[in-house]
Structures are given as structure tokens and as C-alpha cells.
Amino acid sequence: MPKTGFTKAKEGLPVEQTQRRFFAKRDLVVILVLLLVAGGIACFKLFAVPSGGGIAQVYVGNTLTREIDLSRVTQTEIVEIDARLRVKLEVSPGAIRFIESECPDKLCVKTGTLKNPGEYAACLPAGVAVKIVSKTGAGVDAVAG
């Protein structure tokens, strides 16, 4: 007798048992693990304690031209930097960002607001870079063991 795909149905089993399941148990375990990892990362990002501002270092070329303690800023101010191209920075309490540049692509403006130590943005055509560093002056932000 030739084998067909309907052998189980012929044996008297209901048709529902012969259909393939959408997920196997192992698939559900993998999905659950991925969801737990994603949830953990989201919680870490969401509930991480902000550093309270650091020191913004403004470089023109390789030269440090200005340091701004972001925790001491009380009102928003605009800082103009004259480099190869003119750049404007917005300094607000606890944050700094590029708001205007004469560069053609404006990637520096699209970078957004810098708030935490380790964040940086640069306008390469103008030769201007802004970096947030920790107030403690420690060179190490984290240690992996």
C-alpha cells in the first residue's frame, strides 16, 4: 500500500492531531529567553540613574578650547565657536548640543543632546568636537570582570 500524507487520518485519529503546530516547545523557550533579555536591557536603560551632568569639553582641532560644568549651568545659552566653519552650541542645565553648523550634511546637529559622561559629538568639516567627561576625573567608567 503506498504511503500518503493521510495515513494518521485513516487510522482513526482526528485531523487536528495530524496538523503541524505553529510553535514547538523549544521555539517558545527561545522566544521567552529573548523577551527576558530585551526586557532586562529596557529596564536598565529606563531606570539607570543619570549622572547629574559632567563637564563638556569643546575641542577645535586637537586643542581643548573650553570646559563647561553642566551641573552649574542654570539657564540656556548659545555658544558660538569659530573654527574652519562657524558652529553654534546650545548649553542648557545638564546638557549640550550642536544647534547650527555651516557644514553641508549637518550630522552634528542630528546627533542630539549630550548629557552623560562618555557621550560625544563632532562636526568634522568644522573640526569641532564636544565630549562629556566625568567630574571625578577618573579615566575608567566601568570595569568588566
Side-chain angles (χ1 to χ4, degrees):
M1 175 176 210
K3 297 225 176 200
T4 64
F6 300 108
T7 55
K8 288 188 179 182
K10 286 183 179 180
E11 294 172 1
L13 294 175
V15 176
E16 294 88 34
Q17 290 182 357
T18 63
Q19 294 177 349
R20 189 170 194 273
R21 291 184 185 169
F22 189 66
F23 288 112
K25 287 182 183 179
R26 139 183 98 210
D27 295 336
L28 290 175
V29 169
V30 169
I31 290 170
L32 182 63
V33 168
L34 289 175
L35 286 174
L36 287 174
V37 169
I41 292 171
C43 286
F44 177 76
K45 292 260 186 194
L46 189 63
F47 298 115
V49 177
S51 66
I55 297 174
Q57 296 180 334
V58 181
Y59 291 86
V60 176
N62 291 331
T63 307
L64 176 64
T65 59
R66 181 176 252 176
E67 286 189 328
I68 303 166
D69 187 346
L70 297 176
S71 65
R72 293 182 181 225
V73 176
T74 57
Q75 60 186 4
T76 300
E77 85 177 74
I78 306 300
V79 176
E80 288 194 36
I81 307 293
D82 288 322
R84 286 181 265 173
L85 301 172
R86 191 175 52 82
V87 171
K88 287 186 182 179
L89 301 172
E90 179 184 79
V91 181
S92 55
I96 189 168
R97 69 185 183 111
F98 284 90
I99 59 168
E100 189 178 313
S101 177
E102 294 178 345
C103 64
D105 54 7
K106 310 280 190 255
L107 290 176
C108 54
V109 176
K110 296 174 187 173
T111 301
T113 304
L114 308 176
K115 295 179 181 178
N116 301 310
E119 295 180 335
Y120 62 91
C123 182
L124 296 181
V128 177
V130 178
K131 176 172 80 169
I132 308 294
V133 295
S134 175
K135 286 186 198 182
T136 61
V140 178
D141 290 332
V143 176

